[in-house]
Amino acid sequence: MAARFALVIDPAAAGDGLSDWSATFTVIDPAAPALPVGELSAQRGDGVFESIGVVDGHAQRVTAHLERLAHSARLCDLPAPHLGQWRQAVARAAAHAGSGESVIKLILSRGIEGGQSPTGWVTAAPAADFAAQRTDGIRVVTLDRGYAVDAPARAPWLLLGAKTLSYAVNMAAIREGSRRGADDVVFTSSDGFVLEAPTASLILRRGDTFITPAPTGGILHGTTQVGVFAHLAAEGFEVAYATLTVADLHTADAAWLVSSIRLAAPIIDIDGRPLHLERELTASMNAYLLSPRD
């Protein structure tokens, strides 16, 4: 959906001695052209981003998202974002998000080709309506991501643990899933281990234990997954990180894809195999995720 609000950040102007970063922000028309032709985010997808859920003007889990933005920047050899500057920009955007559910996007790019400074910007827009997926569930298929589970350790330059702007493969996978009659995809490694979805984390239920693939093997550590685990642990369930196989996925008692904007979407079918829909537990997860969380 069209953005309601946008501002450009000057990351190079941040300093530890500042408490008010408003002078480093330029509010722009979100419908107007803003990026120069030489911008590397557009030319090469050379940058990182975060998507923050907003509920009635309250930005959710801001600290976790900013820490992950900094982690992604470090993996990509980008200048470290000043978290105070970005936090204040998030607050400005949230004030313009309006009622209901919205999404704030943070983008940090390497900047203009041949330049010396990164480019940053923040937008706020209405979120898509995921009510049906949260309630009735989604169908998924598994797709081979094309690398072994140890690839990140052998080839860290692939940036498999960073949330980069280079999402062409992720979007291609979702389109392939749609061609196969599915709503989403779960990536697997070429050696048969479960990874994550293109835009979400995976959680499986086995008895009273909830498991997610260990955040190695190029898996992005999901902020929403961490929140769901905190909620489940408080409810008395066991939570765990583990290396999971496709067989583990197919034999789970229940499963969810979780992300900052869609929240918890129960999986009702994996590769044509029906899966039990946990309506009450899913509703509890989403009520927790929709409550104000810093």
Side-chain angles (χ1 to χ4, degrees), residues 177-247:
S178 179
R179 283 191 286 269
R180 299 186 186 196
D183 303 297
D184 213 323
V185 165
V186 172
F187 282 132
T188 62
S189 66
S190 59
D191 45 354
F193 294 99
V194 175
L195 300 173
E196 59 189 345
T199 63
S201 302
L202 172 70
I203 295 176
L204 306 183
R205 180 174 188 174
R206 183 170 293 157
D208 286 336
T209 300
F210 292 79
I211 309 166
T212 195
T216 56
I219 295 174
L220 193 71
H221 202 171
T223 58
T224 307
Q225 171 265 309
V226 171
V228 170
F229 266 25
H231 170 63
L232 292 170
E235 294 294 311
F237 294 105
E238 295 291 328
V239 297
Y241 295 87
T243 301
L244 299 171
T245 66
V246 176

Side-chain angles (χ1 to χ4, degrees), residues 5-292:
F5 175 82
L7 64 79
V8 174
I9 295 176
D10 181 2
D16 291 333
L18 292 177
S19 58
D20 179 2
W21 286 270
S22 57
T24 70
F25 306 150
T26 302
V27 177
I28 60 173
D29 180 352
L35 295 177
V37 173
E39 170 60 45
L40 289 171
S41 60
Q43 286 195 3
R44 298 176 183 168
D46 192 359
V48 297
F49 78 102
E50 283 290 322
S51 296
I52 301 176
V54 184
V55 181
D56 293 329
H58 183 276
Q60 303 280 71
R61 299 171 185 81
V62 175
T63 297
H65 283 287
L66 292 179
E67 289 176 348
R68 194 168 65 179
L69 182 74
H71 173 72
S72 295
R74 185 165 57 253
L75 291 179
C76 294
D77 296 318
L78 287 164
H82 195 292
L83 300 191
Q85 182 187 38
W86 286 82
R87 184 182 297 276
Q88 195 168 108
V90 169
R92 287 278 295 273
H96 291 82
S99 60
E101 294 183 50
S102 303
V103 54
I104 290 175
K105 288 193 175 181
L106 317 180
I107 300 95
L108 176 61
S109 156
R110 202 169 303 278
I112 299 171
E113 187 167 19
Q116 301 298 316
S117 300
T119 305
W121 67 98
V122 175
T123 63
D129 183 2
F130 289 111
Q133 292 194 7
R134 294 172 188 169
T135 303
D136 301 326
I138 56 175
R139 300 175 183 274
V140 306
V141 293
T142 54
L143 292 181
D144 188 345
R145 187 65 173 84
Y147 56 76
V149 75
D150 66 344
R154 290 186 292 104
W157 50 87
L158 294 178
L159 305 179
L160 297 175
K163 194 173 179 68
T164 70
L165 293 170
S166 306
Y167 255 46
V169 170
N170 300 56
M171 298 301 100
I174 291 174
R175 293 193 297 273
E176 177 62 23
S178 179
R179 283 191 286 269
R180 299 186 186 196
D183 303 297
D184 213 323
V185 165
V186 172
F187 282 132
T188 62
S189 66
S190 59
D191 45 354
F193 294 99
V194 175
L195 300 173
E196 59 189 345
T199 63
S201 302
L202 172 70
I203 295 176
L204 306 183
R205 180 174 188 174
R206 183 170 293 157
D208 286 336
T209 300
F210 292 79
I211 309 166
T212 195
T216 56
I219 295 174
L220 193 71
H221 202 171
T223 58
T224 307
Q225 171 265 309
V226 171
V228 170
F229 266 25
H231 170 63
L232 292 170
E235 294 294 311
F237 294 105
E238 295 291 328
V239 297
Y241 295 87
T243 301
L244 299 171
T245 66
V246 176
D248 294 324
L249 179 60
H250 287 160
T251 58
D253 295 326
W256 294 261
L257 292 185
V258 300
S259 56
S260 297
I261 312 305
R262 184 168 54 184
L263 305 185
I267 299 174
I268 59 172
D269 185 282
I270 302 173
D271 293 329
R273 297 172 171 85
L275 199 61
H276 177 62
L277 172 57
E278 298 262 13
R279 289 191 183 275
E280 185 174 345
L281 185 56
T282 301
S284 173
M285 290 179 182
N286 283 320
Y288 172 84
L289 293 172
L290 286 166
S291 62

